[in-house]
């Protein structure tokens, strides 16, 4: 195994462990073709000199989700914002419009931002996975691992003051933890020197409105970090 493949092996093992899957070796065997693509990413990554380059590279990712999705959902909003928001994966409306958080969850997100005086047009929004999983299922560990190097490059380009992570997939993926949101929220979290606010996914809040008060506290913390 060469150096890139070895690094990737470690990377994928870490992902499989984070997502609680213990049959790592079987899974690694079954995703050999994807490993090749990841090696291509490692060779290509130095050519991402602009956000537009990164977007072009994302459009070229060979992900199985592209077979069923209509659009690649890269981002929406202001690239020079102090706030970058990252969710899980596009839903049906996002897939149709090619923009993140434009459905019911997006409306709730917009309102929660407004409740602390932040306009949607003043933030930058993206997701961990760039395509809608069929039937809105949770993205697989393999799909997440395929997107993560691009997500990490994405955050480096935007360099926000604060990262607002919506839901457990975004939180586990970027904070590299298996802890749940309820344990992580309300505490100081950092990703590569950037302050992180982990909070509940708006889709969860739509199902469990009783948790909105806690989420509101997280949005107040977000606002305070910007002061
Ligand atoms: N849920 C997400 O996680 N992201 C979206 O873009 C829409 C719904």
């Amino acid at each position: 195994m060469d150096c890139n493949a070895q690094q990737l092996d470690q990377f994928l093992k870490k992902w499989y462990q984070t997502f609680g899957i213990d049959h790592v070796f079987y899974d690694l065997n079954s995703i050999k073709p994807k490993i090749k693509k990841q090696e291509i990413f490692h060779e290509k990554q130095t050519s991402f000199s602009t956000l537009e380059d990164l977007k072009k590279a994302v459009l070229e990712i060979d992900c199985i989700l592209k077979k069923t999705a209509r659009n690649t959902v890269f981002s929406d909003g202001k690239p020079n914002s102090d706030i970058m928001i990252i969710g899980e994966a596009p839903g049906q409306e996002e897939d149709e419009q090619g923009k993140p958080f434009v459905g019911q969850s997006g409306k709730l997100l917009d309102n929660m931002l407004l409740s602390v005086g932040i306009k949607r047009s003043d933030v930058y929004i993206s997701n961990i996975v760039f395509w809608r999983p069929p039937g809105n299922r949770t993205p697989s560990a393999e799909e997440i691992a395929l997107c993560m190097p691009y997500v990490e490059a994405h955050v480096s380009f935007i360099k926000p003051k604060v990262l607002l992570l919506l839901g457990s997939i975004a939180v586990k993926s970027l904070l590299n933890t298996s802890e749940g949101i309820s344990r992580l929220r309300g505490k100081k979290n950092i990703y590569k020197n950037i302050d992180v606010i982990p909070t509940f996914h708006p889709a969860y809040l739509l199902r469990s409105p009783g948790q909105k008060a806690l989420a509101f506290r997280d949005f107040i913390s977000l606002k305070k970090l910007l002061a």
Side-chain angles (χ1 to χ4, degrees), residues 87-91 94 99-101 105 127 201:
E88 179 178 316
E94 289 77 17
K99 278 188 186 177
F101 285 99
S105 295
N127 280 304
H201 194 287

Side-chain angles (χ1 to χ4, degrees), residues 15 19 128 144 148 152 168-176:
W15 279 100
F19 287 90
I128 294 292
I144 293 168
M148 272 320 283
E152 292 187 353
S168 67
I169 292 289
V171 169
K172 287 178 179 174
S173 304
L174 278 157
L175 296 184
N176 188 20

